[in-house]
Amino acid sequence: MNKNQKTILLIGIILIVVVLVYWYSQGGEIFTKTQVLVDKTSDLDRMLGVENKQFEDKFILGLDYAGAISVAIAAITGILIYLFKNKRKETQ
């Protein structure tokens, strides 16, 4: 494995780790969410027994997208490692 291949492998591993750390920091959800249920009940509403829950637009990365991104990075890394291999010609 030459220097270029090692560099590409290191960059690929770092990118995959960054994606998985970001996924974990978002809550480690299995499926991607685009809306989140938020409780907006005030103290007065709680005393009266009324609940006020609303959906808010918020993107939470799920394992489905994080996994797909990681697989794509691994595939691109593999292709680049293959393309940057040393091609030594045998002389006769």
Side-chain angles (χ1 to χ4, degrees):
M1 190 174 267
N2 61 25
K3 185 179 179 183
N4 289 337
Q5 289 175 320
K6 289 178 185 178
T7 304
I8 290 171
L9 182 63
L10 182 65
I11 290 171
I13 290 172
I14 289 172
L15 287 176
I16 290 173
V17 168
V18 166
V19 168
L20 293 178
V21 166
Y22 180 73
W23 164 74
Y24 187 74
S25 71
Q26 290 286 311
E29 296 287 334
I30 300 297
F31 297 109
T32 300
K33 295 181 180 179
T34 56
Q35 291 183 335
V36 178
L37 187 61
V38 177
D39 186 15
K40 292 190 173 186
T41 307
S42 66
D43 291 334
L44 179 60
D45 290 338
R46 284 194 185 97
M47 288 192 300
L48 295 174
V50 178
E51 290 185 10
N52 185 12
K53 295 183 179 180
Q54 297 177 350
F55 281 99
E56 288 187 358
D57 291 334
K58 183 177 180 184
F59 182 79
I60 298 177
L61 182 67
L63 188 59
D64 52 352
Y65 281 10
I69 293 169
S70 298
V71 168
I73 291 171
I76 291 170
T77 301
I79 291 169
L80 288 175
I81 287 173
Y82 177 75
L83 291 176
F84 284 124
K85 70 179 181 180
N86 287 337
K87 297 176 183 172
R88 297 182 184 174
K89 294 183 180 179
E90 293 182 22
T91 56
Q92 294 179 353

